[in-house]
Amino acid sequence: MMTSTEEEKTGLQEEAITINGSPMAVRKMQAFEHIGSLAAVAQSYGPRSVKSRILKSIYIVLIKAKINVLLPFGPLAVILHYLTGKHGWVFFFSLIGITPMAERLGYATEQLACYTGSTVGGLLNATFGNATEMIISIYALKNGMIRVVQQSLLGSILSNMLLVLGCAFFAGGLTHPHKDQDFNKASAVVNSGLLLMAVMGLLFPAVLHFTHSEVHYGKSEVTLSRFSSCVMLLAYASYLFFQLKSHRSLYNPIDSEVDGEQDAKEDNEEEEEPEITQWEAIVWLAVLTIWISILSGYLVDAIQGASESVNMPIAFISVILLPIVGNAAEHASAIMFAMKDKLDITLGVAIGSSTQISMFVIPFCVVIGWMMGKQMDLNFQLFETATLFITVLVVAFMLQEGTANYFKGLMLILCYLIVAASFFVHVDPTSDDN
């Protein structure tokens, strides 16, 4: 029998060999496990792991997508530029080489938006979604090719509103033939209003020029264009605040208002996890932007020679061919979302991109030209301005019901064919008339 004092001693000894209620052996095991986890983390940042991560990232971005089979055309265009004087081949090889780069730039932006949230993600899409057009425009502006800048940006708006949106409506209508697809009519009306404001900004300098009613001939339209550009940039900044902050509920997809919480949970589960890390996405954005900038330089230099060699008007090249390359990513994603019956995302891609170009990229180029000392203005000539005005009206009428079907898509595509044919036979005014 143990006395009370002996029981107290054994109790003290048991307490001494325990720490926080855990036996010493268990604590040692926990310590070894902690050291092992630290070693595993250290090993994950070792040379082998970094190398494998880099190789995996290169595979995902540059090899995995099928469109990457066109990547070699970029280096071939650079080689042809120095080995031959055939501007036609250099132009078309550069055009083909930039196409996968534009698509991959959109992919890297989407990956980065997964980490930044919706607000910053929207700003990233606004910045990098039209990065290809901006880079080509700045290079052309630097070379004094103001008409190429104006026509390529106008072509991007026409391509997004007629070709991209038309193909998306057509593909979505064929995929869902027995119903009209619905989308958020309120957000479409806001975008239509912004596009009409952009038309107003382009219309007045052209009318001022062709009615010869300027106070100072040749200077008043430039001054008006610069003032209007600053106002349009302010309007676009207000639109971003309106869309991303004050009236975010207005831009909720129409499905989320109808479906219950269970469908919302299923949508969240269906969202794809990012394939590359945040820093990898940032690095790829920088690399792809630099490579697009390099190819854009060769592309712009070869435009004049390509026009002469294939006997194709520069207006057709600038308005039709260049925007198709810049809108490659938007075209593919808009059709994909329309086939999945997510028309609100389709409109955000097609009409949202047109809004960005008209209210941000074009005024931004005017301001950049102002800094460069170039006479970049909003006088896009009467033919181009009238084409944009009619296009905005047609698309606004198509969107006013808040529904889409294959016939509306077909009409938009046919309208784009008429526009393309018009620019193929259009002779651009000489610099004296400009």
Side-chain angles (χ1 to χ4, degrees), residues 87-163:
H87 294 288
W89 287 107
V90 174
F91 174 79
F92 285 108
F93 274 39
S94 301
L95 204 66
I96 297 171
I98 286 179
T99 304
M101 290 291 101
E103 193 276 334
R104 293 287 85 188
L105 193 69
Y107 168 80
T109 306
E110 291 173 3
Q111 293 293 303
L112 186 58
C114 293
Y115 297 98
T116 57
S118 60
T119 303
V120 181
L123 293 174
L124 283 172
N125 285 321
T127 305
F128 288 100
N130 296 308
T132 306
E133 290 93 336
M134 288 183 66
I135 293 169
I136 293 175
S137 299
I138 291 172
Y139 265 94
L141 195 60
K142 187 178 178 182
N143 292 351
M145 304 171 72
I146 294 175
R147 289 297 292 157
V148 171
V149 176
Q150 292 176 333
Q151 290 174 337
S152 64
L153 293 178
L154 174 77
S156 293
I157 300 173
L158 299 177
S159 173
N160 276 307
M161 295 182 70
L162 295 177
L163 183 63

Side-chain angles (χ1 to χ4, degrees), residues 402-425:
T403 60
N405 50 55
Y406 75 91
F407 183 65
K408 286 185 177 181
L410 181 62
M411 283 194 288
L412 292 175
I413 295 171
L414 295 178
C415 286
Y416 187 74
L417 291 179
I418 294 174
V419 170
S422 301
F423 278 98
F424 192 78
V425 298

